Amino acid sequence: MSSAATAHATHEEKLSFWRKYIFSVDHKVIGKQYLFLGMFMALVGGLLAYLMRWELAWPESPVPGTGWIPEPTMFQGVVPPEFYNAIVTMHGTIMVFFVAMPILLGAFGNFLIPLMVGAPDMAFPRLNMMSFWTIFTASVVMIASFFVPGGAASAGWTGYPPLSANPVYTGVNWGITLWILGLALEFASFLMGGINFLTTTVSMRARGLKMMRLPLMVWMQITAAVIFMLSVGPLIAGAVLLLLDRTAGTSFYTVAQGGDPLLWQHLFWFFGHPEVYVILLPGLGAVLEVLPVFSRKPIFGYKAIVYSTIVAGVLSFIVWAHHMFVSGMNFKLVMPFSITTILISVPFTIILLAMMATLWKGAIRFTTPMLFAVGTLAMFIIGGLTGIFLGSATADIYLHDTYFVVAHFHYTLISAVFLGGFTAMYFWFPKMFGRMMNETWGKVHFWLTLVFFNLVFMPLFKAGLGGEMRRLYDPFQYDFLKPHQPLHKFATIAAILLFASQIPFLINFFWSLFKGKIADRNPWQANTLEWTAPSPPPHGNFEIAPSVYHGPYVYSAPNMNMKEDWQPQDQPLAS
Amino acid sequence: MSSIAVTENYYEKTMPIGKMGIWWFLASEIMVFGGLIGSYILYRLASAGAWAEMAHHVSTAIGAINTLVLLTSSLTMVLAHAAIEDENRRRAKLYLGLTVLGGLLFLGFKAIEYTTEISNGFTPLSGTFWAFYYTMTGLHGLHVLGGMIANFALFVMASRGTLWPNTHQRVEYCGLYWHFVDVVWIFLFPLLYLSY
Amino acid sequence: MFDWFPKNISTYGGDIDAVFWLIFYIVGAGFILGEAVILYLVIRYRRKEGRRAAYIAGDKISELAWILVPAAIVLVLDLGIDFAGGEAWSKVKGETPASDIKVIVTGKQFNWNFTYPGPDGQFGTDDDLTLENELHVPVKKVVDLSLNSEDVLHSFFVPVMRLKQDCIPGRKIPAWFEATETGEYEIACAELCGYGHYTMRGFLFVHSEEDYAKWTQERWPPAAADSTQVGQL
């Protein structure tokens, strides 16, 4: 495979437009394709969030700017309850599977892994291309599902049967079937991607690049790939059963004929909880790369972080039932799951404290990526800590399925995916596109995002503590929820401003793409191998095959002077 | 660009890329079947008598013959691999052909089995046992089909002599997959055919 | 201290709230400490001319102690939280205490049905009474519920009782509560159950003992009931 990659590299000039930009086998081009797909889907998911938030603040009033959407999807801009459920479902599905995974794993995993391990390309370049076109097809299927009779899937992103198993319960027929097919394609895509990530990392490391010299981003990516690969199988099996229930008329999830709806919940969460780490770890990985570079310090406790990540990954397989404390499962099984769940806070505490310790006695430069990295750290703490409430089975009786849960997972996922993703974006943009992004606009983008993100989700904690359930079309039907309307209005206005805060980013991104300052090879003075390649790296990546002499975070070592306080991995340490 | 020298010393020493890839692929496949088999076992434990009654109607004889067929084809696959290593073109072709034939025989018996069951009135809608029976054997059958197509491609390559010198490792990789399909059947056979 | 929850009127609601507050204070302290440390570090160690970063790789145990000891403290606190909550959990979700008042709760798209056994105390007899979206119970009595569903999953949620439990079609799931105050409260569905999920609202009427007796009298006039069974309810 590697010989194929070099063969391509030598013929780079001769490649047609189609082979170069559309059906490319170059991991960097594929990474960018994933990035643009993820950004587009983020727009779709964001618009759904806008409809949902508007509906929550001012139920049954027309949503501004949506009057053109035809009936029966919407009525002169008013969201009907059926469509509201579809919005809730598709927002979750799209954000997790078509935004977070394509951007954090698809884009950055693809772009960075071969560069960071010193390989000319992925192990299986054609498989890599296929994985992108598979998720592209999956995205088309997902979007198409909005336009079929009955509308898109509306049984929640968790798709619990019997609601999802029989069209009579939702009125959605093709929508849910397409939803299952779209997810199946997405899973297939990331299984292919995962095989590439793992094989490339294990078998194509540059000479001298021992596993314990890998950049932490690579560790996070491959841990995520392993977790995904080992957890998604049972859900694929479960999805086959669900699809058969829907189309062939079997009764795997129907109690009357000997089925059991709880099976789906077990299979879904056996995957669903590890999946959270699949998208969270690469976000933390970006932070772990950025912190040492802009603190000019080695990462604190490299091995402790690696082992904690592995422990968290293993633990993630034995915590799934904490999503099911009040589902009717055996009440004695709950305590063991509660304990394993809460134990997960230990490895993550170690990772977060290691991040903080990296700042300690550093010489911190506040570039945009560094701001986002510290912001991710500060926000992720909130997400992690609020998880303790939900991990405790007792507190979860009251908090389960309330807005407290919604606020909690948005704090973990928006911090790791959104802020962590922007950390990666601003940090590796010069390497990806060969130009620098504008720092001032980046900082404006950071502060606006940080402020409005908190203003959207802080009120939701309070709504949850007040007992407000998730997924309610009109919460104010309930007398005890009527006082929550001001909270929702506040959150909705903040959400609109949060969307608006992304405009500086988009302008900055596209402007820098064409007009940004030309980036040199190593604009941040970083050590890892990707910075030794040209910006952007050509097909084949490195002019000469790199050899690695030391770990990735040798900054400000005692023998270095202040002007040159870094030592790229492909250069031997001066003794 | 041409200066990238991909020599044997380029990478840290590990397993060959293709083999590594197929192992990761099999790991994810194991989890798919693991999930399905696990669900089947849990359902079966939860539903005492009724399933055993239904399980009586499957054809243990055909199941046993198919086990034999599949095990034999695994053996011919191993022999094909050995022949490839020796660059014995004729033997490689013979054993690859026999492996494909084994798969075909397996699917043939499967077809007879399905036809008999359905004509006796046992369809996937006849109860959860039958739903699992058709889902599990069906999914496994698709894997057999996939493996057969891959082995057939190798057979064609062996006939044309294009397997050597660069692509003969593919026989080993397809062999790993073929053994995996066999192992899945080793789990399915007692679970579906012997447990009444 | 903070008035965040709805009123609590169940005997075990206080235990659940206590676990919440225990976690709240531990987590709150962790939050303030964590954010304060980050803030301090980024201000104290921002880049200044002439000062260089220290080379601390954190690979020695003596250095790692800075993160391992706090992690151990987190572990102890975690286990403490779990054990502190264990008792309340088994109280709420474990064995239902002995009770005279038994009600079958059936969720269906999009109503709650409450079935009373009637004076004979037996379900499935002629004097059973099913009310739509109305649950009447006496104060200070254990109410024994059996939850199930006719169609999809629902979740029986009584915020003032701190009680939440999913209903599964084809299964009977036990639940219970004991009210400490009379009044009229709301019952909600907490599991997405279709387009009418948000309308699946019921009412809980907690009566004083006399009012409850009067209510039963009205529902099951003594003449209509089997004379030997009167007063059993």
Side-chain angles (χ1 to χ4, degrees):
Chain A
M1 295 297 144
S2 51
S3 54
T6 32
H8 280 302
T10 47
H11 298 299
E12 192 183 14
E13 293 75 27
K14 292 173 198 158
L15 290 176
S16 67
F17 172 82
W18 285 92
R19 290 303 309 269
K20 202 169 170 188
Y21 296 108
I22 309 297
F23 295 106
S24 172
V25 291
D26 180 355
H27 72 101
K28 298 177 291 297
V29 177
I30 295 171
K32 289 171 197 170
Q33 290 175 325
Y34 269 110
L35 181 69
F36 288 116
L37 176 76
M39 282 166 70
F40 172 75
M41 293 304 273
L43 199 67
V44 177
L47 284 175
L48 293 175
Y50 165 64
L51 295 178
M52 178 164 38
R53 282 258 38 111
W54 188 275
E55 172 59 33
L56 283 164
W58 295 280
E60 295 175 64
S61 73
V63 189
T66 61
W68 54 275
I69 297 175
E71 297 176 17
T73 306
M74 287 174 74
F75 296 86
Q76 278 104 44
V78 177
V79 178
E82 294 86 346
F83 185 52
Y84 180 78
N85 288 352
I87 291 172
V88 170
T89 304
M90 297 305 281
H91 170 75
T93 306
I94 286 175
M95 286 303 195
V96 170
F97 295 110
F98 294 89
V99 177
M101 288 183 75
I103 290 181
L104 286 173
L105 289 113
F108 291 110
N110 252 311
F111 183 80
L112 291 172
I113 287 176
L115 281 167
M116 282 181 153
V117 303
D121 204 323
M122 281 285 183
F124 310 107
R126 267 174 296 176
L127 186 72
N128 204 16
M129 176 179 84
M130 204 154 88
S131 80
F132 173 75
W133 288 104
T134 308
I135 195 177
F136 182 84
T137 315
S139 314
V140 171
V141 169
M142 278 293 167
I143 290 177
S145 77
F146 280 103
F147 303 102
V148 296
S154 63
W157 85 282
T158 50
Y160 282 3
L163 191 64
S164 59
N166 194 331
V168 301
Y169 296 133
T170 50
V172 178
N173 192 354
W174 272 101
I176 295 182
T177 307
L178 288 178
W179 177 78
I180 298 172
L181 290 175
L183 282 184
L185 286 171
E186 206 266 1
F187 295 159
S189 160
F190 278 97
L191 282 175
M192 295 182 227
I195 288 171
N196 249 326
F197 285 18
L198 286 161
T199 311
T200 308
T201 308
V202 177
S203 291
M204 293 177 71
R205 275 169 292 133
R207 223 175 334 157
L209 186 55
K210 305 199 166 47
M211 288 303 274
M212 280 299 168
R213 286 176 176 174
L214 283 175
L216 285 166
M217 182 62 160
V218 178
W219 267 111
M220 294 288 166
Q221 292 280 354
I222 59 168
T223 313
V226 173
I227 294 175
F228 182 78
M229 184 173 272
L230 296 183
S231 65
V232 79
L235 183 61
I236 292 176
V240 169
L241 304 184
L242 185 60
L243 198 62
L244 288 173
D245 268 12
R246 288 187 66 80
T247 54
T250 55
S251 49
F252 291 107
Y253 300 116
T254 314
V255 182
Q257 282 94 38
D260 185 356
L262 278 191
L263 174 71
W264 171 266
Q265 295 188 26
H266 284 292
L267 296 176
F268 185 89
W269 289 116
F270 181 80
F271 162 76
H273 197 84
E275 167 68 11
V276 175
Y277 297 148
V278 170
I279 54 185
L280 187 150
L281 291 177
L284 295 182
V287 174
L288 287 164
E289 291 301 321
V290 166
L291 288 178
V293 172
F294 297 106
S295 307
R296 309 312 292 169
K297 266 191 72 196
I299 195 87
F300 186 91
Y302 175 94
K303 284 188 179 171
I305 294 172
V306 171
Y307 293 136
S308 298
T309 308
I310 295 170
V311 167
V314 171
L315 280 176
S316 74
F317 282 89
I318 49 169
V319 299
W320 76 90
H322 67 219
H323 297 268
M324 301 168 61
F325 284 153
V326 299
S327 71
M329 60 182 266
N330 188 333
F331 91 100
K332 284 176 187 153
L333 279 177
V334 162
M335 269 300 141
F337 277 110
S338 181
I339 290 170
T340 54
T341 300
I342 285 194
L343 284 184
I344 278 208
S345 61
V346 175
F348 278 111
T349 306
I350 292 178
I351 295 173
L352 293 181
L353 289 173
M355 288 178 177
M356 291 187 209
T358 305
L359 298 172
W360 181 54
K361 291 195 176 174
I364 301 168
R365 229 184 333 167
F366 286 105
T367 57
T368 308
M370 186 61 174
L371 284 177
F372 271 102
V374 175
T376 308
L377 173 60
M379 292 301 108
F380 187 71
I381 290 178
I382 303 177
L385 288 173
T386 49
I388 308 239
F389 292 95
L390 301 167
S392 155
T394 318
D396 188 57
I397 297 173
Y398 178 69
L399 296 174
H400 180 82
D401 262 337
T402 63
Y403 267 89
F404 191 88
V405 179
V406 175
H408 156 71
F409 70 68
H410 279 92
Y411 262 100
T412 53
L413 291 182
I414 290 195
S415 65
V417 174
F418 204 62
L419 300 180
F422 280 127
T423 308
M425 191 71 253
Y426 282 101
F427 186 60
W428 281 294
F429 188 90
K431 187 53 65 184
M432 284 182 119
F433 299 105
R435 290 175 187 270
M436 305 296 289
M437 283 180 91
N438 182 297
E439 277 290 304
T440 315
W441 282 108
K443 285 172 185 165
V444 170
H445 173 223
F446 168 75
W447 287 109
L448 291 175
T449 303
L450 188 77
V451 168
F452 289 121
F453 160 49
N454 279 290
L455 293 184
V456 178
F457 293 101
M458 272 297 166
L460 299 189
F461 279 121
K462 189 170 184 307
L465 294 176
E468 182 170 344
M469 298 78 77
R470 298 166 69 174
R471 295 165 171 171
L472 289 184
Y473 169 67
D474 177 2
F476 317 121
Q477 291 277 323
Y478 288 93
D479 288 331
F480 80 106
L481 297 180
K482 285 200 169 95
H484 287 183
Q485 193 162 10
L487 287 177
H488 280 293
K489 285 181 185 167
F490 186 87
T492 299
I493 292 167
I496 292 169
L497 292 171
L498 180 62
F499 296 141
S501 309
Q502 306 315 306
I503 294 172
F505 166 73
L506 287 175
I507 294 174
N508 193 354
F509 182 89
F510 287 105
W511 186 84
S512 304
L513 209 52
F514 301 106
K515 293 278 166 72
K517 197 172 99 220
I518 300 287
D520 61 11
R521 227 165 244 253
N522 192 357
W524 312 118
Q525 286 130 21
N527 286 345
T528 39
L529 284 180
E530 79 270 28
W531 302 107
T532 65
S535 299
H539 200 162
N541 293 346
F542 299 94
E543 293 103 329
I544 32 165
S547 292
V548 170
Y549 297 93
H550 54 84
Y553 306 113
V554 184
Y555 295 101
S556 306
N559 60 348
M560 294 171 180
N561 67 39
M562 282 192 58
K563 283 274 175 286
E564 281 169 28
D565 57 356
W566 77 98
Q567 184 71 282
Q569 277 189 288
D570 65 345
Q571 287 168 26
L573 285 178
S575 54
Chain B
M1 287 323 308
S2 50
S3 57
I4 307 179
V6 182
T7 63
E8 62 207 70
N9 286 331
Y10 183 78
Y11 302 127
E12 285 282 288
K13 279 205 167 53
T14 44
M15 205 187 270
I17 291 169
K19 203 175 191 173
M20 178 70 74
I22 198 88
W23 274 116
W24 287 118
F25 170 65
L26 291 182
S28 60
E29 285 271 50
I30 286 171
M31 290 310 289
V32 177
F33 279 101
L36 204 54
I37 290 173
S39 307
Y40 168 82
I41 292 174
L42 287 176
Y43 270 40
R44 176 116 200 197
L45 291 176
S47 69
W51 281 40
E53 171 55 31
M54 286 188 263
H56 260 300
H57 300 281
V58 297
S59 170
T60 312
I62 296 184
I65 294 169
N66 257 346
T67 311
L68 202 68
V69 170
L70 219 49
L71 282 174
T72 315
S73 78
S74 253
L75 177 70
T76 54
M77 192 77 208
V78 173
L79 293 171
H81 182 214
I84 294 286
E85 300 273 279
D86 298 347
E87 289 204 30
N88 187 331
R89 199 171 286 194
R90 226 171 45 85
R91 261 190 26 235
K93 199 177 123 187
L94 171 72
Y95 286 125
L96 281 171
L98 281 176
T99 311
V100 176
L101 212 62
L104 206 62
L105 210 60
F106 178 89
L107 290 182
F109 279 121
K110 193 100 262 165
I112 296 171
E113 197 184 334
Y114 277 6
T115 325
T116 324
E117 307 301 2
I118 291 170
S119 61
N120 287 343
F122 301 113
T123 69
L125 307 185
S126 311
T128 315
F129 170 81
W130 288 107
F132 266 112
Y133 167 83
Y134 283 104
T135 310
M136 288 162 88
T137 54
L139 198 64
H140 176 259
L142 285 178
H143 280 75
V144 172
L145 190 64
M148 254 174 64
I149 292 170
N151 289 341
F152 186 71
L154 293 176
F155 171 75
V156 171
M157 288 172 85
S159 318
R160 291 188 187 160
T162 50
L163 264 178
W164 300 272
N166 289 326
T167 46
H168 65 277
Q169 312 93 315
R170 290 185 190 173
V171 176
E172 188 188 356
Y173 307 152
C174 287
L176 283 170
Y177 177 78
W178 194 248
H179 298 321
F180 162 76
V181 172
D182 200 2
V183 168
V184 170
W185 181 256
I186 298 294
F187 276 91
L188 295 189
F189 178 60
L191 281 172
L192 291 171
Y193 294 84
L194 299 177
S195 61
Y196 40 82
Chain C
M1 174 175 159
F2 299 104
D3 185 24
W4 286 338
F5 294 117
K7 187 161 81 168
N8 163 42
I9 61 151
S10 83
T11 47
Y12 53 61
D15 298 346
I16 293 177
D17 291 359
V19 172
F20 176 87
W21 289 114
L22 172 74
I23 302 173
F24 179 80
Y25 289 121
I26 294 175
V27 156
F31 167 69
I32 292 169
L33 203 66
E35 302 292 351
V37 167
I38 294 174
L39 206 61
Y40 168 76
L41 289 173
V42 295
I43 292 171
R44 170 73 178 75
Y45 296 108
R46 68 190 185 280
R47 191 183 194 80
K48 283 188 196 132
E49 275 311 310
R51 192 177 57 75
R52 64 182 292 161
Y55 185 80
I56 308 165
D59 45 12
K60 291 193 281 288
I61 285 293
S62 59
E63 290 167 353
L64 273 179
W66 283 102
I67 59 175
L68 293 180
V69 171
I73 295 171
V74 167
L75 178 62
V76 172
L77 289 174
D78 280 352
L79 293 174
I81 286 170
D82 251 344
F83 289 117
E87 203 176 321
W89 170 263
S90 24
K91 191 163 159 190
V92 181
K93 296 288 178 183
E95 291 285 299
T96 302
S99 165
D100 291 332
I101 298 155
K102 292 185 167 39
V103 184
I104 292 179
V105 181
T106 310
K108 62 171 190 187
Q109 288 181 328
F110 299 99
N111 278 307
W112 292 107
N113 280 358
F114 298 100
T115 306
Y116 291 80
D120 64 356
Q122 303 289 319
F123 288 106
T125 52
D126 286 344
D127 63 350
D128 286 7
L129 176 72
T130 299
L131 300 175
E132 204 162 79
N133 296 330
E134 277 184 37
L135 175 61
H136 294 263
V137 299
V139 72
K140 296 200 173 90
K141 281 271 164 59
V142 171
V143 179
D144 178 340
L145 303 171
S146 172
L147 308 177
N148 68 68
S149 165
E150 269 181 23
D151 35 44
V152 299
L153 302 180
H154 300 280
S155 192
F156 183 72
F157 179 33
V158 193
V160 289
M161 293 294 173
R162 308 289 186 265
L163 173 63
K164 189 180 289 148
Q165 178 60 55
D166 283 9
C167 307
I168 303 176
R171 284 210 195 165
K172 293 185 173 66
I173 299 174
W176 69 279
F177 64 82
E178 184 180 337
T180 56
E181 265 179 55
T182 59
E184 187 189 324
Y185 308 97
E186 282 173 300
I187 296 170
C189 177
E191 182 72 68
L192 181 65
C193 59
Y195 60 86
H197 170 52
Y198 70 110
T199 61
M200 198 163 157
R201 173 183 179 219
F203 295 94
L204 168 69
F205 297 91
V206 182
H207 300 287
S208 66
E209 215 159 325
E210 306 85 72
D211 285 352
Y212 185 71
K214 214 160 82 194
W215 180 78
T216 31
Q217 292 278 319
E218 280 167 19
R219 298 283 149 168
W220 294 277
D226 185 293
S227 56
T228 57
Q229 299 273 334
V230 175
Q232 264 245 300
L233 191 85

